[in-house]
Amino acid sequence: MDVFGFLNLNELALGLSNLSMFPYFDMAHYIVSVMSLREQPGALEVSQRSPFACWFSSMLYCFGGAVLSALMMADAPVAPLSNTTNLLLASLMWYLVFYCPLDAVYSAASVLPVRLVLTAMKELTRTWKVLGGVTQAGKKYKDGLFVMIAVGWAKGAGGGLMSNFEQLVRGVWKPETNELLKMSYPTKVTLLGAVVFSLQQCRFLPIQTHHLIFIYSLFIVTNKTRMMLLGSSSYPFSSVETLVYKTLFVRPLNFSPLTESTQSCCSSPNHNKRNGSASAQEKKPSDANKPDQSNPKDAENSKKTD
């Protein structure tokens, strides 16, 4: 892009696209993922009661995206666990976060500056996962736009999309926390990245890959850092997203053309006149049996007969 050439960002974008994720960025991803699991309600009790269930849940947090994308691509779901080095590294991070003496690792990683750095490194790995899923689907299904979006989304946010299965491992069942019913911020931003990278791979978006990697990585890192510093779960485009959602998908459920027309007919003047005349006609037969109280003689005669 001309903007990158004008700002001398081409070399920075190329350097970021050639950056290796192993071992430091992968280690940050494992630490933050296991810390997220530890902060779930009841996770510490599960770690004391069943370490194997805790370890399995941690591996789903770390490799859930790769497992889900493998299932979607008709590959073996255990294929992501075939990399012994990454599996041992993730297991080491799990043990240090849950069972380190005096909670030294968890306490040190929970300090805000350290947590910011680790989270930023984890968000960078999200970019490579989304791009990897889109590229993997594009090789098998060329120009399959929706397949590329689905696989890239699954590989980048598989841990959140598999949250209900992970909760079952810990003995928890909360179907209302399904990510498809109420998407969290990581799931939404991963879906956005999957759409953008899929459009770029299908040549609908005229931009080079390393430039898009730089823009998307800068967006998710700065946005996540801002959210952590402000301590809020809202992001810059949340109000725009709510407005678009309500405009396109939300409609009043209590609206009925038949009900509205009936109410308008009932409230019309002619209808009220007809109701008034009908009520008057109903009252006449009953009033005919009553004596006319306006005539004094009739009133006295009625008293005598009583």
Side-chain angles (χ1 to χ4, degrees), residues 88-102:
L88 290 177
L89 184 61
S91 301
L92 177 62
M93 296 302 105
W94 159 76
Y95 183 82
L96 291 177
V97 169
F98 276 97
Y99 304 104
C100 182
L102 302 178

Side-chain angles (χ1 to χ4, degrees), residues 59-60 62-81 125-126 128-138 140-141 146-162 190 194:
M59 296 305 104
L60 288 178
C62 296
F63 302 102
V67 172
L68 185 58
S69 62
L71 287 172
M72 296 178 66
M73 296 296 293
D75 295 332
V78 295
L81 304 179
T125 63
R126 188 187 304 277
W128 267 258
K129 289 181 179 180
V130 174
L131 181 59
V134 171
T135 306
Q136 180 185 3
K140 191 171 183 179
Y141 303 98
F146 293 101
V147 178
M148 296 164 67
I149 292 174
V151 176
W153 185 31
K155 194 162 188 177
L161 295 174
M162 295 181 64
T190 305

Side-chain angles (χ1 to χ4, degrees), residues 22-170:
F22 183 82
Y24 301 110
F25 288 88
D26 286 340
M27 188 182 302
H29 166 66
Y30 300 148
I31 291 177
V32 175
S33 299
V34 177
M35 290 177 65
S36 300
L37 173 62
R38 174 175 170 148
E39 292 167 357
Q40 295 297 319
L44 286 176
E45 289 78 4
V46 174
S47 66
Q48 299 298 322
R49 186 172 67 252
S50 177
F52 178 75
C54 180
W55 173 84
F56 193 79
S57 297
S58 300
M59 296 305 104
L60 288 178
Y61 263 78
C62 296
F63 302 102
V67 172
L68 185 58
S69 62
L71 287 172
M72 296 178 66
M73 296 296 293
D75 295 332
V78 295
L81 304 179
S82 61
N83 192 331
T84 307
T85 304
N86 286 342
L87 184 62
L88 290 177
L89 184 61
S91 301
L92 177 62
M93 296 302 105
W94 159 76
Y95 183 82
L96 291 177
V97 169
F98 276 97
Y99 304 104
C100 182
L102 302 178
D103 276 344
V105 174
Y106 179 78
S107 300
S110 298
V111 179
L112 183 58
V114 180
R115 187 85 180 242
L116 285 175
V117 174
L118 293 176
T119 303
M121 296 172 70
K122 180 183 183 295
E123 292 300 315
L124 282 177
T125 63
R126 188 187 304 277
T127 304
W128 267 258
K129 289 181 179 180
V130 174
L131 181 59
V134 171
T135 306
Q136 180 185 3
K139 291 179 180 179
K140 191 171 183 179
Y141 303 98
K142 190 175 182 180
D143 296 332
L145 180 61
F146 293 101
V147 178
M148 296 164 67
I149 292 174
V151 176
W153 185 31
K155 194 162 188 177
L161 295 174
M162 295 181 64
S163 59
N164 290 109
F165 178 72
E166 182 275 326
Q167 290 171 359
L168 285 177
V169 175
R170 294 187 284 114

